[in-house]
Amino acid sequence: MDSAALPLCPTAVERLNRARADLRMGLPVVLRGGGMALAAAVETLTPARLAAMAALGPLTLALTARRAETLKARAYDDDLARVAVPKGADLGWLQALADPADDLRMPMKGPLKTLRDGPADLHRTALALTKSARLLPAALLVTLAGDAPAGLTCLDAAEAQATMAAAASLNPVAAARLPMAAAQAGRLHVFRPDDGGEEHYAIEIGTPARDAPVLARLHSACFTGDVLGSLKCDCGSQLHAALAAMGAAGAGVLLYLNQEGRGIGLANKMRAYSLQDQGFDTVEANHRLGFEDDERDFRLGAALLKNLGFNAVRLLTNNPAKVRMLAANGITVTERVPLKVGHTSQNAAYLATKAAKSGHLM
């Protein structure tokens, strides 16, 4: 390739974002590493593309170990299960394994044959891609023996995994004065990560000193609680209480991280809510969907604080994991300030689960 054209070629991060967009649109991507496979997200797959993939060879459905446990499928690869797709299986069969919406109505989906021989690296990468695209963590793969279909995004699996695992750099985009109900002396900063992910925000109250611990909160976006006033959680109450505490203190910083639904996205969060209506708690619902208890990356909060010049905080939180993550990433937490607000009869079970299963100090 002409060296003059190299700067115009996509980087590893840019190829990764192309792959995410392709999967969300229902387009397969090509994964390389110890072999080559075509991978598609089950959630967005179409019957026509399923048929085209089936014509290339035996199909394998990759599911997380959490989802496999619900389906009573053996996860020989520890963190995932590779389910051999029977010949003639249609899209409905695949989506019933991927989406737990009808698990209680149709509990018998097996027996499922899972593979135990051969590498699972490409399957692991495909699942990580579906998660990072905020789709259900279920991917359909077929091994490619010859050339990959023209025009598809190609990724090196090891490079893609390393790129997804790396902490994103956050770049300031814009900032402006913002008077708020909590404090007229407010300022909103917008930061854009270099990995193509959602933008994150920092809200300064007053003019907090950089040479002393600042009253701070890491707040993950909650559309239902922050905007709609949902009574199923305490997020909206915590957001407004934190801003009010900073206003009363005269200074503080609230980091608003766009990690909806503990990092699984709003659509999957609504799926989890639907499962909760069936009687599962919040952790059980996440597991049935194929996610871990918490998929958030709190390294983002530490990066925002450093970018703004803060090295020590008095952290408004009931979650010890936030304290540990900030400390592990170079931010000194001099005090954990409890934030016990928003308890209702509708969220009592949710808060009890956070305390019992997620270690929150309620």
Side-chain angles (χ1 to χ4, degrees):
M1 180 180 292
D2 185 346
S3 60
L6 285 175
L8 300 177
C9 296
T11 65
V13 168
E14 290 161 345
R15 286 192 296 273
L16 183 63
N17 277 284
R18 281 186 181 180
R20 289 190 184 111
D22 289 348
L23 291 175
R24 289 179 64 85
M25 294 280 291
L27 187 65
V29 300
V30 178
L31 301 177
R32 302 176 186 271
M36 184 166 61
L38 203 60
V42 171
E43 179 179 343
T44 55
L45 190 63
T46 64
R49 285 193 168 128
L50 170 58
M53 291 179 68
L56 297 173
L59 300 173
T60 306
L61 174 64
L63 299 170
T64 67
R66 292 295 192 187
R67 181 66 183 142
E69 182 180 11
T70 294
L71 297 170
K72 302 297 186 287
R74 294 290 296 273
Y76 291 110
D77 302 299
D78 295 329
D79 57 334
L80 65 92
R82 292 172 288 150
V83 178
V85 178
K87 285 187 177 180
D90 62 11
L91 188 56
W93 186 86
L94 290 168
Q95 291 181 337
L97 294 186
D99 189 343
D102 287 331
D103 279 356
L104 295 188
R105 187 169 64 87
M106 296 185 299
M108 298 303 294
K109 295 184 171 68
L112 301 175
K113 178 186 176 183
T114 55
L115 308 179
R116 64 188 306 169
D117 298 322
D121 297 340
L122 300 185
H123 304 77
R124 186 169 289 110
T125 302
L127 283 175
L129 280 169
T130 59
K131 278 189 178 184
S132 68
R134 300 294 187 261
L135 298 170
L136 283 169
L140 186 69
L141 289 91
V142 61
T143 299
L144 294 175
D147 294 334
L152 296 182
T153 301
C154 296
L155 296 179
D156 176 271
E159 182 181 64
Q161 287 276 25
T163 304
M164 285 186 281
S169 295
L170 293 166
N171 304 305
V173 177
R177 186 178 68 86
L178 181 67
M180 293 171 285
Q184 293 197 25
R187 190 169 185 82
L188 174 62
H189 303 259
V190 177
F191 290 85
R192 184 173 296 152
D194 65 355
D195 66 356
E198 296 96 336
E199 293 171 349
H200 304 284
Y201 319 129
I203 300 98
E204 273 191 276
I205 300 297
T207 308
R210 268 55 175 176
D211 59 354
V214 61
L215 185 62
R217 172 161 175 79
L218 273 63
H219 188 89
S220 296
C222 178
F223 173 76
T224 51
D226 299 344
V227 178
L228 302 181
S230 168
L231 301 177
K232 283 178 66 71
C233 66
D234 56 345
C235 302
S237 298
Q238 287 190 326
L239 171 66
H240 296 293
L243 289 172
M246 293 171 191
V253 59
L254 186 138
L255 310 171
Y256 197 90
L257 309 179
N258 275 309
Q259 301 189 112
E260 180 78 46
R262 296 186 183 177
I264 67 176
L266 183 58
N268 287 321
K269 175 180 169 180
M270 290 301 97
R271 291 183 171 116
Y273 273 16
S274 181
L275 292 173
Q276 289 171 36
D277 288 341
Q278 296 178 26
F280 300 103
D281 67 36
T282 181
V283 171
E284 292 167 344
N286 270 26
H287 290 179
R288 293 186 78 89
L289 285 165
F291 294 103
E292 295 301 316
D293 304 21
D294 196 331
E295 299 272 354
R296 289 175 291 183
D297 183 359
F298 290 124
R299 293 177 299 179
L300 294 166
L304 284 175
L305 287 166
K306 290 177 182 178
N307 202 304
L308 290 168
F310 298 107
N311 296 305
V313 297
R314 298 171 54 238
L315 191 64
L316 280 158
T317 187
N318 302 323
N319 186 358
K322 291 183 180 181
V323 176
R324 292 193 297 270
M325 183 58 73
L326 285 183
N329 285 277
I331 300 295
T332 301
V333 181
T334 62
E335 180 186 1
R336 184 188 70 82
V337 182
L339 194 57
K340 298 182 179 180
V341 294
H343 293 214
T344 69
S345 59
Q346 289 94 332
N347 66 26
Y350 163 78
L351 297 179
T353 299
K354 286 211 297 186
K357 294 188 175 182
S358 301
H360 287 227
L361 304 173
M362 307 306 294

